[in-house]
Amino acid sequence: MIQRAYGRALGHFKTLQRNAEIEIITDVFAIACVIATVVSTEHIVFGIAVTCLVAVSSFFHLVDTHFHGFKWSVRDDIAYFSVCLVGALALDHSLWVTCAGVLFALALGCQPFTTRLAGKMDLAGENIPGIGATYHEPFTGQLGYIVPAAMLFFGWAGYLIPAIIAALLIAAVWGFTIANWILGHINEREYEKTAQRIMEALDESKPTFMLFFGTDRTQLYQVKMWFDLLDRLGKPYFVVTRNRGSFEDLPSMTNVPIVYCRRFKDIENTFTPSLKTMLYVNTALNNMQMVRFPQYTHIMLNHGDSDKVASYSPVMRMYDKNFVAGQAAIDRFTNHGIYVVPEQFEIVGRPQLAEVAVAAEPFPVAQKAKAADEPPTVLYAPTWAGWVSDSQYSSLFQGEEIISILLKHGYRVIFRSHPMTNKNPQLAKIRDRIQETLKQRNAHGEHHVFGAAAESDISINECFNASDMLISDVSSVPADYLYSLKPTVMMNVSDTREDFERDFPLSKASYVVDLTNGSARDVDSVLTLIESEDPMSATRADLKKYYLSETPEGRNYEDLFLDTLQKYV
């Protein structure tokens, strides 16, 4: 109870720290101190003592940097130097103000060590009997430095009340620092107990496989799609994550045991004798920390099939098995000159598409375009900007123009942005403007779907079923939509038409719009073509077999996936 109360109080304190923009205050305060010293340098001799004291604490910081990888910043130097200047002006005013300078120097030297002693809760679990999600967040940041400096400044300036307030805040800062030191010892004992309980609980359940997820909560959609299928195996398993945010959100997605391991060495505490296989859903860098264990079978499930660069990365070769949707995924490697062993692949289709309806013939777009009382529906699902330039496939930069053309044609729009759109501020602003446009159209009696209604209230499969046509980019969405046999419009943002078809073969069954000139005007003519005849329908049927494979008579993708995975777990 005491630790939880401390955590809540510290949370409010850190919120205050963030809201006050402490780093900006530090810079402004440093400049003010320099100006004050230039105006009055008569006490600079007294400042030598404070300078030496802070220099000692700075030495400890540098030692800490060398041995523990702390980052030293210019802002730190400014903050430390500023207190020396203020101390030079304050030392001959009063003893208690001088003591504040000493406390400040001690805070500089001691806080990193007490923070490390407290640490963070390195190991925690959810959905495990007897284990709770307990954390201790140590006090860090510049508030512990700026408050004593403020006390010095107000004391020197003769403002008694602000100086007293600052003194009280010094007591609070040191209270948290001492609490960190005490809780460090408590947490170490708690860690040992938690590790033992987690190991005992996992041993008792005898899991045969682990699902590893090493990235943050913005990418949880990649793992969420697999839980229902893995549960159907009927075999015990657990999830390990290295990210605290993901750990906090995962319990809402699954009831299987979830273990949070901040430190790599803690992961080994989850290796039970029954464990045989480790599953992965993305190519996160810290996957390599798991693949290094050769006694386990490492299987990449991924989170969709696409022609993106990431789908034929040589990194895929470090896994024992790659579960892929169809032959296209295997050929993608060889087509780009990457040597692979065929035995590394298992073709399992796309089990997540079980609920996707296949279009009837003749295709509904032509019918709905003629029916005034039921406008056709277009799903616009652009991808995000990617981590690096060679994975930037997003058409959302021209998204407003695309939406404008769709509205001109009288389409009902389902606008589903990528979960990681916020990673690019420019795309996030464009998304918000599109949503506002659709909101205004709905206010006049139209029925467009966007925001949470399209991105969280319904699944991507429900978006597929509710639409008559897809507009998207190079991503897994067009490949999945291919299952429905409905028309797809793909956006080319970077290549010539010839290079685009070579690098992204799925485009051969899609209507391609060239955005390399910065305009989406060709969407207009493509929509007119699809409404009238849809000449790509036969090609889509052929590529569906190539990208998504075929299943034996009476079987579906789910059965194929489960039967295949069963061999390894």
Side-chain angles (χ1 to χ4, degrees), residues 247-267:
F247 173 75
E248 292 171 347
D249 289 355
L250 276 167
S252 66
M253 302 177 183
T254 180
N255 292 320
V256 303
I258 305 165
V259 183
Y260 166 68
C261 301
R262 187 177 69 88
R263 300 181 300 186
F264 173 67
K265 70 175 186 178
D266 296 319
I267 295 178

Side-chain angles (χ1 to χ4, degrees), residues 276 346 562-569:
K276 297 167 56 179
E346 292 278 7
L562 294 173
D563 290 347
T564 305
L565 185 58
Q566 189 78 34
K567 297 186 299 184
Y568 301 102
V569 299

Side-chain angles (χ1 to χ4, degrees), residues 305-306 353 470 475-483 506 547-548:
D305 181 82
S306 76
L353 302 180
L470 169 72
S475 70
S476 65
V477 174
D480 285 351
Y481 200 77
L482 186 61
Y483 182 80
L506 186 60
Y547 270 83
L548 301 175

Side-chain angles (χ1 to χ4, degrees), residues 362-418:
F363 194 74
V365 166
Q367 299 175 2
K368 289 190 176 183
K370 299 174 183 178
D373 59 339
E374 190 178 359
T377 299
V378 175
L379 169 61
Y380 178 42
T383 190
W384 67 302
W387 295 114
V388 291
S389 58
D390 67 357
S391 59
Q392 199 307 91
Y393 304 110
S394 181
S395 65
L396 191 53
F397 290 103
Q398 286 82 34
E400 291 175 281
E401 185 180 2
I402 293 171
I403 292 294
S404 175
I405 294 172
L406 291 175
L407 296 176
K408 185 186 74 172
H409 275 252
Y411 282 92
R412 173 176 175 260
V413 176
I414 300 175
F415 174 51
R416 184 183 175 100
S417 63
H418 193 280

Side-chain angles (χ1 to χ4, degrees), residues 125-177:
E126 283 282 10
N127 301 334
I128 302 175
I131 302 292
T134 55
Y135 285 101
H136 165 56
E137 181 73 36
F139 175 74
T140 57
Q142 298 185 25
L143 191 58
Y145 308 153
I146 192 69
V147 171
M151 178 180 172
L152 282 168
F153 181 80
F154 288 125
W156 163 74
Y159 298 107
L160 183 60
I161 293 179
I164 293 174
I165 294 173
L168 294 174
L169 287 175
I170 285 178
V173 169
W174 274 96
F176 282 123
T177 302

Side-chain angles (χ1 to χ4, degrees), residues 295-407:
Q295 67 269 37
Y296 302 110
T297 301
H298 301 276
I299 300 178
M300 169 57 72
L301 302 180
N302 222 325
H303 55 276
D305 181 82
S306 76
D307 290 322
K308 283 185 175 182
V309 171
S311 294
Y312 55 87
S313 169
V315 171
M316 296 293 188
R317 297 184 297 188
M318 74 178 180
Y319 303 96
D320 298 308
K321 292 290 180 179
N322 283 271
F323 281 27
V324 297
Q327 185 63 38
I330 303 174
D331 294 344
R332 197 177 290 127
F333 288 89
T334 55
N335 291 342
H336 289 85
I338 299 171
Y339 175 75
V340 292
V341 179
E343 289 74 22
Q344 280 188 293
F345 296 92
E346 292 278 7
I347 295 178
V348 296
R350 276 288 282 158
Q352 285 82 8
L353 302 180
E355 298 176 355
V356 175
V358 178
E361 294 292 346
F363 194 74
V365 166
Q367 299 175 2
K368 289 190 176 183
K370 299 174 183 178
D373 59 339
E374 190 178 359
T377 299
V378 175
L379 169 61
Y380 178 42
T383 190
W384 67 302
W387 295 114
V388 291
S389 58
D390 67 357
S391 59
Q392 199 307 91
Y393 304 110
S394 181
S395 65
L396 191 53
F397 290 103
Q398 286 82 34
E400 291 175 281
E401 185 180 2
I402 293 171
I403 292 294
S404 175
I405 294 172
L406 291 175
L407 296 176

